[in-house]
Amino acid sequence: MDVLKIATAGSVDDGKSTLIGRLLYDTKSLTTDKLEAIEKKSKANGFDYLDFSLATDGLVAEREQGITIDVAHIYFSTAKKSYIIADTPGHVEYTRNMVTGASTSQASIILVDARKGVVEQTYRHFFINDLLRVEDIVVAVNKMDLVDYNEEAFNKIVSDFGALTQKQQFKAQRITFVPISALKGDNVVNASTEMPWYDGETLLEHLEQLNPSQVEEVGARFPVQTVIRPKQDQYHDFRGYAGKVSGGALAVGDAVTVLPSGRNSVIKDILFYNASFTKVDAGNSCTITLEDDVNVSRGDILVKSAQAPSLTKELQATVCWMDNNALVPGTKYLVQQGTAQILGKVKSINSVVHTDFSGVDATDKLVLNDIGKVTIQLSKQVLNDQFLDNKQTGSFILIDTQSHATAGVGFIGS
């Protein structure tokens, strides 16, 4: 069964958690004890309706404040598809969490309050989805019940959002608008009887027909996670390389190059546990053996020789800063690309980006939640894959050398 990864975004109180709770409730994905807990808590809070946000806000602070703080991942399935939803926070100060949630998503739902329209956070969330090249965006105009299901209110938001799309860089992005009421259940799973003027799909109907996995990236990449040497009599000479394929398929007989060493070989076998395959598609993990006894270690990347990227010791990238300590020139970090970790030094910070698409400003530092253009000098060569062409190897994380915490996430060439 296909799996669709989705991120939600929206300002505080736009109803992200309520929407997810409604999806779970209407698809009968809530367990009996969870539903009973929601009913009990909703009554205790004096509500005359089910507070579906309780289905996702797991932290005590989230329940107390009625906001989302951490990224929560929610799983549910329908007869057609399985879903993983990253429920990300709406506050400006949790922008890093929003980037984390959207970075692995194939689609995003951006909620807009029908009463408030397109606001500053809408710009920010749309900018991040544009930066991360999320292929499908659903703009869910929520709380339509609070504007009497007015068609003009919906059309005004569609028109305002249209002006926003004129500024985006990722022109291939597909954007769909759905008027909903997460609280009342209108157009979430079931079609609304309150908006006869809308003849489009419900939110779930639209998600059911999305198939972003059809989009191919530029070239197959296989970051080696570990080298398998059983050292048993039965497999005395076995040497396999385990990892996960991204960007495109690999097949037995493909000529491959080991990067960064540049050694060449040919794929001899593709294994998963004790089964042998002739081909492996992107997104799948496997073990690969080679015809030649070339030197391959964890952190190396196998690529098709005909699709080998250039290498570089200087990255030009867009970085979202996630650390309380500011990013300043001269600071050293571990740069992790795939499974490889290389020591790097921030050479320069070129600009900070305005997430309302209004441009950039010169700066000499990035603070928490800033997004900026930087240059990073590396101690060894890495793949110069552009994020636009290959999301996995076109991105990296910066790791604090002292605390080993993730300090930032970067996108090459974005």
Side-chain angles (χ1 to χ4, degrees):
M1 180 179 288
D2 291 337
V3 178
L4 184 67
K5 299 176 183 176
I6 307 169
T8 59
S11 297
V12 178
D13 293 332
D14 276 355
K16 299 182 297 300
S17 298
T18 301
L19 172 61
I20 296 171
R22 169 60 70 178
L23 275 170
L24 297 177
Y25 180 74
D26 284 356
T27 56
K28 304 187 188 308
S29 301
L30 284 174
T31 59
T32 302
D33 58 337
K34 186 73 175 180
L35 183 56
E36 289 175 352
I38 292 173
E39 291 173 342
K40 185 177 179 180
K41 186 65 177 177
S42 296
K43 288 182 181 178
N45 289 340
F47 300 149
D48 59 356
Y49 55 86
L50 294 179
D51 183 3
F52 289 122
S53 67
L54 298 170
T56 59
D57 289 340
L59 300 177
V60 173
E62 290 177 329
R63 292 194 294 269
E64 288 177 347
Q65 300 179 51
I67 63 172
T68 301
I69 297 173
D70 201 359
V71 178
H73 288 88
I74 297 99
Y75 305 81
F76 75 99
S77 297
T78 65
K80 294 182 179 179
K81 192 174 291 185
S82 292
Y83 296 90
I84 303 174
I85 302 180
D87 183 21
T88 65
H91 281 85
V92 174
E93 56 264 42
Y94 298 127
T95 297
R96 54 181 172 173
N97 303 57
M98 200 266 155
V99 172
T100 302
S103 62
T104 57
S105 298
Q106 300 157 308
S108 282
I109 301 171
I110 299 178
L111 279 91
V112 177
D113 189 323
R115 299 167 302 172
K116 301 175 183 175
V118 175
V119 296
E120 180 184 353
Q121 277 297 75
T122 311
Y123 280 78
R124 180 180 296 268
H125 294 147
F126 184 60
F127 178 89
I128 291 172
N129 279 287
D130 184 69
L131 173 68
L132 298 181
R133 303 299 191 256
V134 177
E135 295 151 17
D136 284 281
I137 302 292
V138 182
V139 180
V141 181
N142 193 23
K143 305 190 181 185
M144 288 298 296
D145 54 308
L146 298 183
V147 294
D148 296 326
Y149 300 103
N150 184 275
E151 182 180 7
E152 289 185 3
F154 174 73
N155 289 338
K156 173 73 166 50
I157 292 171
V158 173
S159 175
D160 291 346
F161 213 96
L164 191 59
T165 61
Q166 299 300 313
K167 302 176 182 178
Q168 72 175 135
Q169 293 185 353
F170 186 34
K171 297 298 184 184
Q173 197 171 58
R174 297 177 289 271
I175 302 174
T176 304
F177 298 86
V178 183
I180 68 169
S181 169
L183 185 64
K184 304 290 185 181
D186 295 288
N187 288 336
V188 178
V189 173
N190 303 307
S192 173
T193 58
E194 303 288 349
M195 292 176 274
W197 47 265
Y198 176 73
D199 59 1
E201 299 168 312
T202 67
L203 180 63
L204 182 64
E205 286 172 343
H206 180 71
L207 297 177
E208 293 278 66
Q209 54 84 29
L210 291 184
N211 190 14
S213 60
Q214 289 180 339
V215 178
E216 291 225 353
E217 297 180 340
V218 168
R221 306 287 185 258
F222 186 77
V224 176
Q225 188 166 12
T226 187
V227 179
I228 298 176
R229 295 291 308 277
K231 295 184 178 178
Q232 299 172 350
D233 290 341
Q234 186 179 0
Y235 304 102
H236 184 76
D237 295 323
F238 183 88
R239 180 189 290 269
Y241 310 105
K244 185 176 181 180
V245 181
S246 67
L250 290 172
V252 172
D254 279 347
V256 292
T257 300
V258 184
L259 296 176
S261 69
R263 298 289 184 89
N264 296 312
S265 188
V266 175
I267 294 179
K268 180 181 180 181
D269 206 353
I270 296 172
L271 306 168
F272 183 79
Y273 190 48
N274 57 359
S276 182
F277 298 87
T278 58
K279 180 185 175 185
V280 57
D281 292 320
N284 293 304
S285 298
C286 66
T287 297
I288 287 177
T289 65
L290 300 177
E291 295 279 3
D292 307 284
D293 189 18
V294 296
N295 184 21
V296 181
S297 304
R298 172 181 165 82
D300 289 340
I301 298 179
L302 306 184
V303 303
K304 282 186 179 180
S305 299
Q307 300 172 334
S310 62
L311 301 177
T312 183
K313 291 183 71 175
E314 186 173 287
L315 289 177
Q316 305 290 337
T318 300
V319 166
C320 177
W321 195 239
M322 301 178 169
D323 197 51
N324 288 319
N325 297 317
L327 178 68
V328 295
T331 312
K332 294 180 179 178
Y333 293 92
L334 289 174
V335 179
Q336 179 161 339
Q337 181 190 52
T339 55
Q341 286 190 353
I342 302 100
L343 187 62
K345 183 172 73 174
V346 180
K347 184 176 181 180
S348 63
I349 298 174
N350 308 316
S351 60
V352 61
V353 180
H354 296 174
T355 54
D356 60 355
F357 295 94
S358 62
V360 300
D361 280 338
T363 186
D364 58 358
K365 68 178 180 181
L366 295 181
V367 299
L368 179 65
N369 291 314
D370 271 353
I371 296 175
K373 306 280 187 181
V374 304
T375 303
I376 300 173
Q377 193 72 44
L378 302 168
S379 59
K380 296 180 180 177
Q381 289 186 320
V382 300
L383 274 63
N384 196 26
D385 269 336
Q386 304 295 289
F387 183 75
L388 181 60
D389 298 328
N390 196 309
K391 285 189 174 183
Q392 296 301 314
T393 48
S395 59
F396 59 88
I397 59 174
L398 295 173
I399 302 171
D400 188 296
T401 56
Q402 301 298 317
S403 66
H404 297 285
T406 300
V409 57
F411 310 98
I412 301 172
S414 297

